[in-house]
Amino acid sequence: MSRSLGVSLQCRLFYFWLMVRAAFAVLLCVLRRVFTFSSERPPRPSDCGRLSARWVTAVLQASACIPSTVTATAAELHALDGSERAAHKVERVHVAYETSADGDVSELPATLVLKRSKAGYRNILATLVRGSGREADFLCSELVERCVAPHVYYARHSWLFGEFAVLMEDLSAGGVRGTAVFGEQANALVGEQASGVSRALPSRATPEAMLAGMFESAAALHARHWRDTSLLKRDWLKAAQWYRGRGRVSWELALRRSYHSWQCVKLLHTGEEGEASLDERFVATVDASFARTSWRELQQHVQDRRIPFTLCHGDMHAANVFLRGPGTASLADSIRMVDWSEVGPWEPCADLAQCVIADLHRSKYSYTRDAVRCYWHVLLENGVAEGDFPWEVCWARFCTAGVERWLWLFPIVALGRLPHTTVQFLHDQIMAFLDVHGAQPSYVLKPLFVVA
C-alpha cells in the first residue's frame, strides 16, 4: 500500500473537494425547497409520507404499467424494517387506483419499491463518497436491457444535488428472497436492499440449486458483455477508469479505509479479550496482503489479457437476490438481482466467489467446483470462446478473486455494527474457503466499493 507524501496529499485534496461538493449541494437543496412549489414532481430525499399521485400516474402510464384510463389516487410511503443504510433508504409505496372505464384494478401493482438517497450534509457526502447514484445511472441506461434487474419505472441521479431515486417493481409481492434459501446468516445484515419477505420456498430452491441458478444468471449477463470495451468508456461505472490507468486517488482512499479499519479490528478481536477469535494465519495473510497491494499491482492485473473483464453486479450475494413466484421455466429464469450500486467492469469470478463466501455454508464448499464448471459451460454456450477463458483459468480466478475482495471488505464489516457472532461467521467462512480452495501467503486486495 502506497504511503508516499504525494499520494496522501492527493487523497486529502480529493476528499476535501467532495466535502465542498456536498456543502454546495446542501445549499442548492435549500434554494430548491424555497423556490419550488410544484407537488407534481419526482421524489426528493426530504419528502416524507407520500408521493405525488399525479407523478406516480404519469410514470406508470409512460411505462405501460397501467392504461391511460387508470389513475393513481394515493401513493403512501412505508419504511422497510432494517432497510436504511448510511446514505439511502428503501420504502414500500402503497398505491390506490381508480379507473374512468369499466375494468378491474385489482391486477395492477398494489405496491412498488422506492430507493432514494437521504437528505442532509453527511448523507449527501456519503452518497458522493460511495458513488451510490451509479445504480440509478445503470438502471436508466441501455445496459440494463436483458439484465436480471427488477423492472424499473423511474431512475434519476443528480450529480449537482448529490441525490438519486429509483422507483421499481416490488419483488417481494409474489417472490422470495435469496437469504431464505441459504439461511438468515451474515447476508441478512450486510447490504440488503429490501426486507419483509416471508413466503414458502419453492421446492426446487435448495442452497445448491440456488447457487447454480445464480451462477447461471451471472454467466448469461457476463457473456453478453464479455470484453466489451465500451464499458471502459463509461466513467460512472465502478472500476472503468482503472482499466484506463485512471482513478488512483479513489482507489487509494478505499484501500486506506480498509487498512485503518484493519488496525482497529486487530485490537478488538485478537488476544484473550477479543470478542471474535481471529486465526493467526488469517491475521498474517491480511497483513501480508496490505503490504503487497499497490496501484502498480492493480494495473498489472487489469492489463493481464489472460484475465477477462465483463459487466459485473459488484455485490452479488443472496440478500440482493429475489426469486420470482411460480410460472418461470427454471430457477435461473426466476432470479432477479437488486442493489446495482457497485456495477462495473471487472473479472467475472469475483462475484461468484464473493457470493459463496457470504452465503454458502462452509460445510457445502465441496460443491463449488461443480457450480463453477456449470457457470463456465453456460459461458461457452453463450458465445465465449474456450480458448479465451480456459477452465483452468476460470477455476484459478474463482479461488483467488473472491478472497481478494473479502479480505478488503472484512475489516470494514468487522468494525461496523455487526454482532461479534456475525464477524466470527465471516472469518470462519473465509478461512474455510482458503482451506478448501488453496490459500496463498498474500493477495492483491480489490475494493468492493470505491470512493466516487
Side-chain angles (χ1 to χ4, degrees):
M1 189 178 73
S2 175
R3 294 178 176 82
S4 70
L5 181 61
V7 173
S8 297
L9 180 60
Q10 290 180 53
C11 289
R12 291 178 181 274
L13 289 175
F14 183 74
Y15 198 82
F16 177 74
W17 163 236
L18 291 178
M19 294 171 64
V20 172
R21 279 181 58 190
F24 183 66
V26 170
L27 176 61
L28 290 178
C29 290
V30 171
L31 294 175
R32 180 180 60 182
R33 189 162 56 247
V34 172
F35 294 104
T36 303
F37 304 100
S38 174
S39 61
E40 300 176 22
R41 55 168 176 74
R44 294 174 181 169
S46 57
D47 292 343
C48 300
R50 66 180 61 199
L51 299 179
S52 164
R54 290 190 179 184
W55 178 80
V56 172
T57 298
V59 167
L60 295 183
Q61 288 181 350
S63 61
C65 179
I66 62 175
S68 58
T69 56
V70 174
T71 59
T73 58
E76 303 287 342
L77 293 172
H78 297 270
L80 295 174
D81 293 338
S83 65
E84 292 203 9
R85 290 296 176 263
H88 73 262
K89 54 187 174 182
V90 184
E91 299 156 298
R92 183 165 285 122
V93 186
H94 293 260
V95 186
Y97 302 96
E98 68 178 13
T99 177
S100 58
D102 294 335
D104 184 11
V105 298
S106 62
E107 297 299 319
L108 300 178
T111 58
L112 308 170
V113 168
L114 176 67
K115 181 177 182 179
R116 56 178 173 158
S117 52
K118 295 194 292 187
Y121 172 78
R122 295 186 65 179
N123 293 319
I124 292 175
L125 179 60
T127 297
L128 295 174
V129 167
R130 285 286 304 270
S132 303
R134 183 186 301 114
E135 179 174 15
D137 291 331
F138 170 73
L139 292 174
C140 66
S141 74
E142 71 278 7
L143 294 176
V144 79
E145 295 177 6
R146 297 176 60 207
C147 191
V148 289
H151 185 77
V152 175
Y153 306 109
Y154 172 85
R156 177 179 176 272
H157 169 219
S158 172
W159 181 91
L160 193 61
F161 288 90
E163 63 187 30
F164 69 93
V166 177
L167 185 68
M168 68 190 101
E169 67 175 311
D170 185 0
L171 292 171
S172 67
V176 66
R177 196 167 175 198
T179 49
V181 180
F182 289 105
E184 295 287 345
Q185 298 167 348
N187 47 37
L189 301 171
V190 183
E192 65 190 39
Q193 161 111 357
S195 302
V197 182
S198 57
R199 296 177 179 273
L201 290 177
S203 58
R204 55 188 172 167
T206 63
E208 294 85 354
M210 181 68 177
L211 188 72
M214 292 171 66
F215 280 18
E216 183 178 339
S217 295
L221 171 67
H222 294 165
R224 282 195 294 273
H225 298 278
W226 197 258
R227 296 190 188 273
D228 181 1
T229 56
S230 68
L231 298 174
L232 310 184
K233 301 175 184 178
R234 301 172 187 259
D235 284 351
W236 53 269
L237 287 174
K238 187 186 79 171
Q241 295 189 40
W242 298 351
Y243 283 88
R244 308 199 319 269
R246 297 170 53 192
R248 177 176 180 175
V249 173
S250 63
W251 178 86
E252 291 279 1
L253 281 171
L255 186 65
R256 289 170 186 230
R257 177 183 176 185
S258 179
Y259 175 78
H260 293 304
S261 297
W262 175 239
Q263 305 312 309
C264 296
V265 167
K266 286 194 293 184
L267 293 176
L268 289 173
H269 298 291
T270 56
E272 297 181 359
E273 302 299 325
E275 294 181 349
S277 176
L278 301 185
D279 190 285
E280 291 182 359
R281 294 177 300 154
F282 181 83
V283 175
T285 299
V286 178
D287 283 339
S289 298
F290 275 114
R292 175 184 174 185
T293 301
S294 68
W295 176 253
R296 181 180 179 181
E297 289 272 6
L298 175 72
Q299 287 302 300
Q300 291 177 349
H301 175 83
V302 297
Q303 300 303 325
D304 189 342
R305 290 292 299 173
R306 296 170 300 174
I307 303 174
F309 67 88
T310 184
L311 184 68
C312 293
H313 180 277
D315 193 16
M316 183 174 159
H317 56 79
N320 284 338
V321 172
F322 277 88
L323 295 177
R324 285 185 176 274
T328 50
S330 68
L331 194 64
D333 292 335
S334 72
I335 285 176
R336 292 294 180 271
M337 296 185 188
V338 297
D339 197 357
W340 292 82
S341 59
E342 305 303 327
V343 64
W346 196 243
E347 60 171 305
C349 290
D351 271 3
L352 311 185
Q354 178 195 348
C355 174
V356 166
I357 294 172
D359 299 312
L360 189 68
H361 193 272
R362 49 193 175 274
S363 63
K364 299 181 182 293
Y365 277 0
S366 59
Y367 173 73
T368 57
R369 191 177 186 90
D370 291 337
V372 176
R373 186 173 286 276
C374 289
Y375 162 85
W376 182 70
H377 281 300
V378 175
L379 282 180
L380 302 187
E381 292 169 3
N382 282 271
V384 175
E386 182 175 353
D388 189 23
F389 197 42
W391 162 246
E392 293 76 15
V393 175
C394 178
W395 177 248
R397 292 313 304 163
F398 171 81
C399 295
T400 303
V403 178
E404 293 174 336
R405 182 178 285 181
W406 261 111
L407 291 185
W408 175 88
L409 180 61
F410 178 83
I412 295 175
V413 171
L415 200 60
R417 299 178 180 178
L418 299 182
H420 71 273
T421 53
T422 302
V423 175
Q424 188 68 59
F425 168 82
L426 290 172
H427 166 273
D428 294 346
Q429 289 281 102
I430 297 171
M431 285 302 302
F433 190 93
L434 294 175
D435 290 340
V436 172
H437 299 89
Q440 300 177 18
S442 64
Y443 295 82
V444 179
L445 304 181
K446 309 296 194 310
L448 173 64
F449 55 82
V450 298
V451 178

